[in-house]
Amino acid sequence: MAEGRLQDRVAVITGAGQGIGLAYAERFLAEGAKVVVAELSEERAASAMESLAGMGDALFVRTDISDPDSAEACATAAKDAFGSLDILLNNAAIYHDIDNADASYEYLQKIFSVNQHGTWLMSRAAAPYMVEQRRGRIINQSSGAAYSYMFPPMDEFHGLGNFSYSITKWGIVGLTKFMAAQLGQYNITVNCIAPGVTMTEATKKVVPEMFIGGMTAMTAMKQTLEPEDLAGAAVFFASDDAKFCTGQTLVIDGGLSMPA
Ligand SMILES: NC(=O)c1ccc[n+]([C@@H]2O[C@H](COP(=O)([O-])OP(=O)(O)OC[C@H]3O[C@@H](n4cnc5c(N)ncnc54)[C@H](O)[C@@H]3O)[C@@H](O)[C@H]2O)c1
């Protein structure tokens, strides 16, 4: 059997219990990687592990990316189970369960603690293993929301919003560059994917249907994105083909925003 593009690489994929993270896990297994499903929800993870059964080496490690100890334990578990930690795909975020109407400071902190700081905590936990082996790939997940400043408020709230989701996703673009600059000397690349509206359960719950239609009509491709449509880019960033590509954000949104 031909080898996959990620043959025997060990990949930690956060938030792989459903949606885009699960699609990444499926594709990484198909490419020969060994996958750690680093997921907070045991229920989502159980269902994901069922659908990944028979596809290759997959291990569920219950992980809260916003908890430093949990992040460290996840990285250690990957190394202990599979012998290395080659790829970290920072996909998890509060998205499905987000409350866009909550503009409080406390809620802003909560979203930051997962979406932004969780990405940093997981990267901090994985980096020493990658530095030691002088090889690693970190892939962060931003969002087209980082570039969509002009959306009108979705409710009757007339104060200043906290822009929690969009701001954390903007922050991920910057974090990618800082991490790339520091870790390049160890043969570790750090890149980022910024998907447009993707048809996951979370999107169906969070984004009004009319809005999805309007956004799709504004894209060049005039089609909605499916989670599987993002997986090829993640494989590229994780593979040897991308060995000199670092600090980059690839926007995959059917040509909606086309940022420079
Ligand atoms: N679906 C879209 O349209 C879209 C567009 C752009 C970016 N994104 C981003 O892509 C990623 C996945 O999107 P999705 O639609 O599959 O969302 P989702 O909410 O369905 O999946 C996120 C997963 O992360 C897990 N998670 C949440 N908090 C966690 C924590 N503290 N520790 C570990 N796991 C945690 C959730 O349980 C869930 O399984 C997210 O980062 C999201 O922001 C999604």
Side-chain angles (χ1 to χ4, degrees):
M1 202 171 91
E3 294 215 324
R5 292 174 70 191
L6 306 178
Q7 198 64 42
D8 296 327
R9 294 287 195 245
V10 177
V12 170
I13 305 180
T14 68
Q18 64 180 18
I20 297 172
L22 179 56
Y24 285 151
E26 285 167 354
R27 180 67 188 274
F28 273 42
L29 286 171
E31 295 289 351
K34 300 169 200 280
V35 169
V36 171
V37 172
E39 168 63 54
L40 178 64
S41 159
E42 299 200 15
E43 201 185 323
R44 289 173 187 168
S47 144
M49 291 304 286
E50 222 173 279
S51 66
L52 296 175
M55 294 184 68
D57 289 328
L59 171 75
F60 165 49
V61 177
R62 187 178 181 276
T63 309
D64 178 355
I65 63 164
S66 68
D67 173 354
D69 292 338
S70 183
E72 298 287 338
C74 176
T76 305
K79 167 85 176 172
D80 289 350
F82 295 131
S84 65
L85 201 179
D86 305 303
I87 302 158
L88 169 64
L89 213 172
N90 282 310
N91 162 81
I94 298 181
Y95 177 52
H96 182 277
D97 304 316
I98 200 157
D99 179 0
N100 281 317
D102 191 340
S104 69
Y105 178 48
E106 291 68 29
Y107 198 58
L108 177 69
Q109 289 177 305
K110 182 179 171 183
I111 301 297
F112 260 85
S113 77
V114 177
N115 296 13
Q116 174 87 45
H117 304 328
T119 295
W120 179 77
L121 284 169
M122 285 300 300
S123 304
R124 184 179 69 160
Y129 296 108
M130 295 179 176
V131 168
E132 196 186 346
Q133 68 200 19
R134 292 292 192 275
R135 189 190 66 229
R137 297 276 188 270
I138 299 176
I139 304 158
N140 296 327
Q141 185 92 329
S142 176
S143 168
Y147 305 98
S148 309
Y149 314 113
M150 299 307 286
F151 290 143
M154 282 171 142
D155 53 28
E156 291 304 306
F157 178 70
H158 295 299
L160 183 67
N162 67 18
F163 318 110
S164 59
Y165 182 77
S166 301
I167 289 288
T168 56
K169 292 298 178 180
W170 204 178
I172 293 294
V173 174
L175 181 62
T176 299
K177 295 174 198 282
F178 279 97
M179 294 200 304
Q182 188 177 32
L183 295 174
Q185 63 187 308
Y186 306 111
N187 196 29
I188 300 167
T189 64
V190 187
N191 291 290
C192 181
I193 295 171
V197 176
T198 308
M199 298 311 290
T200 61
E201 286 310 309
T203 289
K204 289 171 197 161
K205 175 173 170 260
V206 172
V207 187
E209 212 177 315
M210 206 178 77
F211 196 76
I212 297 174
M215 297 270 285
T216 307
M218 287 191 286
T219 66
M221 305 298 294
K222 314 288 180 214
Q223 296 168 47
T224 49
L225 275 166
E226 298 300 326
E228 301 73 34
D229 297 327
L230 305 167
V235 171
F236 168 67
F237 282 138
S239 74
D240 289 342
D241 288 338
K243 71 188 234 189
F244 281 111
C245 177
T246 196
Q248 304 303 309
T249 293
L250 182 61
V251 177
I252 304 177
D253 67 356
L256 176 67
S257 55
M258 303 194 199

